[in-house]
Amino acid sequence: ETLGLEVLDLFLVHWPLADSAGIDLVDTWRTMIEILESGRVRAIGVSNFLESDLQNILNHCEVKPAVDQLLAHIGNTPFELAAFCENNDILVEAYSPIAHGEAGKIGAIVKMAERYDVSVAQLCIRYVLQLGMVALPKTANLEHMRSNADVDFEISAQDMETLRGVER
């Protein structure tokens, strides 16, 4: 009601800190399932959950998260967690795929973007897309939104390997 919407597309548990606060994440997830079953949301997911957090939900609940929203970008890609998610049909949503705007300070990324004749942001977004993730770049600038969506190119396998090896 506060949002003025009848249904939300996605509702997330933002952080798995509930366990440290003495709150059972499985109970929290069961409440999320109730919300899903009420029809008020189309999908439920989590954010910043590690493999152990996800496995706990998978072990105790029949409905698994649709997504795990993770910090993922060139130089900080959680490959093992992403593989676990993929193996369990959990989509990874990569937030901050442009490294909080810091990717433009990494020479290897800048040079590669120039070779592809794209912006650093476009290269970063394409990278996470080619890894099978959804990219969630943050911007309020309409022109940046348009540019961020214009990623109809492919990074070569060799260049993907180079980007996988970039360190922060």
Side-chain angles (χ1 to χ4, degrees):
E1 289 177 17
T2 302
L3 294 172
L5 301 170
E6 293 180 25
V7 178
L8 295 176
D9 288 326
L10 178 62
F11 193 47
L12 299 175
V13 176
H14 177 68
W15 199 270
L17 289 179
D19 274 343
S20 64
I23 299 169
D24 186 350
L25 283 174
V26 172
D27 287 342
T28 299
W29 189 250
R30 287 183 178 133
T31 301
M32 295 290 283
I33 293 169
E34 289 174 19
I35 294 168
L36 176 68
E37 290 173 346
S38 77
R40 293 180 287 171
V41 299
R42 290 189 178 98
I44 54 175
V46 296
S47 183
N48 302 298
F49 275 46
L50 301 175
E51 182 176 333
S52 59
D53 303 313
L54 293 167
Q55 191 63 62
N56 189 28
I57 289 172
L58 296 173
N59 288 345
H60 294 95
C61 300
E62 290 184 26
V63 177
K64 61 185 156 192
V67 301
D68 191 0
Q69 190 178 87
L70 302 171
L71 176 63
H73 55 76
I74 298 168
N76 184 56
T77 308
F79 294 109
E80 289 181 21
L81 181 53
F84 177 85
C85 288
E86 182 178 353
N87 290 336
N88 286 281
D89 297 318
I90 300 169
L91 182 65
V92 172
E93 290 185 339
Y95 71 82
S96 299
I98 308 166
H100 307 289
E102 298 294 309
K105 296 178 182 175
I106 301 172
I109 297 173
V110 172
K111 288 178 185 175
M112 192 176 294
E114 288 171 356
R115 276 200 352 247
Y116 281 90
D117 195 27
V118 298
S119 70
V120 166
Q122 289 170 318
L123 183 76
C124 291
I125 291 166
R126 186 69 207 170
Y127 168 79
V128 297
L129 292 174
Q130 281 187 222
L131 291 175
M133 301 176 184
V134 171
L136 297 175
K138 179 181 175 185
T139 184
N141 180 304
L142 187 57
E143 189 53 42
H144 288 170
M145 286 181 207
R146 286 186 183 113
S147 177
N148 289 347
D150 186 16
V151 290
D152 190 23
F153 66 98
E154 187 170 330
I155 301 170
S156 73
Q158 180 179 357
D159 286 342
M160 283 295 289
E161 281 306 310
T162 298
L163 293 174
R164 285 173 182 262
V166 170
E167 295 186 20
R168 287 193 218 201

